[in-house]
Amino acid sequence: MNFPNKPRGTQDIFSSRALAYQRIQKIITKILRNNNYQPVIFPTFEAEELFTKSLGSATDVIHKEMYIFQDRKGRELALRPEGTASVARLVLQNNLIKEGYPLKLFYWANMFRYERPQKGRYREFWQLGAELVNSEGIIADYQVLKLMSDILISLGISDFTFNLNYLGNAQTKEKYKNQLKDFFKGKETELCDDCKRRHSTNPLRILDCLNCQKNFPYPSYENSWDKDDLDYINELNQILNKFNFPYQYNHRLVRGLDYYTGLVFEVDLGTEKAVLGGGRYDNLYQEIGDKNIPALGFAIGIERLVDFLEEKKILEIKNYVDVFFFVCNSSAYLDIFLWKEALANYQLIIDYNLEVRKSKALPKIIEHYQPQLLVIIGEKETEVNKILIRDCLKKTDFFVEKKIAIEWILDYFKINDRVN
Ligand code: AMP
């Protein structure tokens, strides 16, 4: 066929997978709203500088993954590669901080990164992100960890462990960077090409490289923690232990973006790539807007989440119709319009054929729409004021008085589970 295909690394999402995205969005949004998080919607593109300032110029996202372009007036813009910087800009520009109060925000947004496409890694992908802004301390950190675990549980995921690390304050981070530099002295040539560059610009980023990770026993972050860091970690662990929170420390977890300070975390659900990640970033608002606003947040990658839920058969959504009215007599449309109105408040998926069809079309219609209930309104039935209702799952037929059709259908769905 002679038309351009979708660009490399992008996806067409349709049918049951598109329904899965919507189902997940509904479940997670409910948890976030119950925790008093407010939705925000920000632009798909921002000034390029917003991201170069905040993510760190040596990070891969900035160095080689951003979609940057000039508009017709020569402004330097970038498609958003992540949401945290955009949220920070939105908060600052709209003066959303009320002194002394935390601000809880969340977003659903597509992100753009020029990465090498593979399963679970796309150039356009979806994230659910949440940010607890203007908050510091262990209770805030624990609240966000608990929120993420509530989200995973609400999705039917019970077997997960949080990988944690604590990057500490600026001195701790600097100390660790120096330890890494010392460790790599004399080994620079063994690093991959990307990590050779990272070694001179920002050695912490080497820890994100899956290739080099296998080849080097990096020094553990533990060695850099000072007394304050250790006090924090002990206190956090106490809370986590008390509530049986599933966690372990990964002393080599630093996460791909430069802005993290303090606690960082990831959940990988047993696969190589993380499904969820985030952490505390107390200096980001300083860097973007010269304001001291501590915050932490996380993002869940929706593609990886849907892949996992589908693979584990936790979320199986079928593209069924609840009730299909099969019209083989044009006068039946008037009944159907009334019945549709009567059923409108019951969240049922209802459809009917737009042109009168002969009954021999039925098998194809059933195959196409996969209805749970099929309602046939034909000449014969109309003469005796009845309709034929077929339960397509149990393969049984019922002759039902027309005037009780709605009651019958509603009773049926009260007793029988809906398949979709
Ligand atoms: P990050 O914004 O890099 O902290 O990533 C947060 C989450 O977004 C990851 O754990 C992934 O689930 C997801 N993610 C990041 N990059 C991609 C990508 N290129 N394709 C699909 N999902 C991604």
Side-chain angles (χ1 to χ4, degrees):
M1 278 182 283
N2 192 17
F3 55 80
N5 279 339
K6 64 183 169 53
R8 189 166 140 76
T10 61
Q11 323 165 71
D12 292 327
I13 304 164
F14 52 90
S15 197
S16 54
R17 193 161 166 100
L19 290 171
Y21 274 57
Q22 291 211 319
R23 177 78 58 86
I24 284 172
Q25 179 163 17
K26 202 167 154 192
I27 295 171
I28 301 182
T29 300
K30 183 166 184 300
I31 301 278
L32 287 161
R33 290 293 299 126
N34 290 349
N35 282 277
N36 197 23
Y37 277 74
Q38 317 265 347
V40 287
I41 301 172
F42 41 74
T44 308
F45 55 90
E46 299 267 5
E48 181 195 357
E49 193 195 348
L50 175 70
F51 302 113
T52 45
K53 240 182 169 178
S54 56
L55 308 191
S57 57
T59 57
D60 279 357
V61 172
I62 295 300
H63 187 75
K64 51 180 198 181
E65 291 172 7
M66 275 223 292
Y67 279 90
I68 39 184
F69 61 99
Q70 280 190 348
D71 72 3
R72 285 162 194 266
K73 289 264 166 67
R75 298 177 189 97
E76 302 288 341
L77 300 168
L79 295 182
R80 56 188 178 208
E82 58 104 58
T84 303
S86 297
V87 171
R89 192 218 23 85
L90 178 151
V91 168
L92 289 165
Q93 196 163 350
N94 296 285
N95 284 320
L96 297 190
I97 298 291
K98 299 279 171 288
E99 210 45 64
Y101 293 97
L103 178 66
K104 298 173 169 183
L105 303 174
F106 75 95
Y107 57 84
W108 285 91
N110 46 346
M111 303 298 169
F112 306 86
R113 295 184 194 173
Y114 194 85
E115 295 198 82
R116 202 162 51 79
Q118 51 180 270
K119 188 172 161 54
R121 181 164 294 139
Y122 303 94
R123 291 186 173 169
E124 181 182 12
F125 58 97
W126 285 84
Q127 277 187 345
L128 165 275
E131 316 286 346
L132 177 53
V133 187
N134 206 25
S135 68
E136 57 188 341
I138 282 190
I139 299 303
D141 289 0
Y142 176 69
Q143 195 186 68
V144 168
L145 288 172
K146 175 76 172 88
L147 176 64
M148 291 182 291
S149 109
D150 285 351
I151 287 176
L152 293 176
I153 290 168
S154 74
L155 291 165
I157 304 171
S158 49
D159 192 11
F160 57 84
T161 303
F162 277 78
N163 287 313
L164 308 181
N165 198 10
Y166 190 66
L167 303 185
N169 53 33
Q171 292 96 291
T172 309
K173 222 170 158 180
E174 204 46 47
K175 204 159 124 194
Y176 185 68
K177 268 188 203 171
N178 289 332
Q179 286 182 7
L180 261 189
K181 271 193 189 146
D182 288 347
F183 171 79
F184 282 115
K185 254 192 205 126
K187 302 190 186 75
E188 294 90 335
T189 51
E190 296 164 42
L191 289 164
C192 75
D193 287 347
D194 276 336
C195 285
K196 279 185 191 129
R197 168 181 57 78
R198 292 174 185 135
H199 182 257
S200 52
T201 49
N202 186 349
L204 265 191
R205 296 281 72 83
I206 298 176
L207 269 65
D208 296 325
C209 174
L210 292 177
N211 286 332
C212 294
Q213 212 174 65
K214 292 179 199 127
N215 302 336
F216 296 97
Y218 304 129
S220 166
Y221 217 99
E222 255 175 319
N223 305 332
S224 315
W225 289 335
D226 63 16
K227 176 157 183 325
D228 286 350
D229 298 331
L230 283 167
D231 286 349
Y232 169 92
I233 290 157
N234 288 334
E235 203 182 322
L236 179 70
N237 292 353
Q238 264 177 25
I239 300 178
L240 297 176
N241 293 341
K242 192 168 163 50
F243 292 102
N244 284 327
F245 193 88
Y247 75 100
Q248 65 193 16
Y249 278 86
N250 172 353
H251 295 131
R252 293 177 181 89
L253 177 72
V254 291
R255 311 243 337 111
L257 309 174
D258 248 9
Y259 52 57
Y260 289 112
T261 54
L263 185 72
V264 288
F265 41 77
E266 259 181 22
V267 174
D268 56 28
L269 296 176
T271 52
E272 197 183 52
K273 299 187 188 82
V275 168
L276 165 173
R280 177 164 281 288
Y281 50 89
D282 285 349
N283 301 330
L284 181 68
Y285 281 78
Q286 195 74 52
E287 273 157 40
I288 293 178
D290 211 13
K291 290 251 164 64
N292 179 21
I293 302 173
L296 82 155
F298 64 90
I300 302 179
I302 303 304
E303 282 70 20
R304 293 182 196 175
L305 182 64
V306 174
D307 285 348
F308 177 83
L309 293 172
E310 282 181 350
E311 270 161 39
K312 298 281 173 204
K313 303 204 184 312
I314 296 174
L315 187 77
E316 279 189 287
I317 299 182
K318 300 232 162 59
N319 221 344
Y320 277 108
V321 165
D322 291 319
V323 186
F324 191 88
F325 293 104
F326 182 70
V327 186
C328 34
N329 163 11
S330 63
S331 65
Y333 281 114
L334 295 176
D335 288 326
I336 289 172
F337 297 156
L338 291 174
W339 290 338
K340 262 208 101 241
E341 285 292 298
L343 291 170
N345 289 331
Y346 294 93
Q347 316 269 333
L348 293 169
I349 302 170
I350 299 172
D351 210 347
Y352 54 88
N353 46 311
L354 295 173
E355 284 168 27
V356 174
R357 303 289 295 270
K358 296 222 166 67
S359 46
K360 68 172 196 253
L362 252 182
K364 288 241 161 79
I365 293 259
I366 293 175
E367 194 186 316
H368 183 76
Y369 289 96
Q370 306 263 315
Q372 186 162 349
L373 284 187
L374 178 76
V375 180
I376 302 172
I377 311 134
E379 299 269 356
K380 229 175 35 213
E381 289 83 8
T382 313
E383 273 166 28
V384 287
N385 259 333
K386 288 202 168 171
I387 52 171
L388 176 75
I389 303 184
R390 176 169 302 161
D391 180 336
C392 296
L393 297 183
K394 296 190 184 131
K395 303 214 177 339
T396 39
D397 284 354
F398 303 88
F399 263 106
V400 177
E401 294 279 342
K402 238 165 102 174
K403 58 177 190 289
I404 62 155
I406 296 302
E407 267 171 86
W408 195 98
I409 291 171
L410 289 176
D411 279 348
Y412 172 89
F413 282 107
K414 256 186 230 151
I415 301 163
N416 295 281
D417 283 340
R418 291 172 57 195
V419 286
N420 59 338

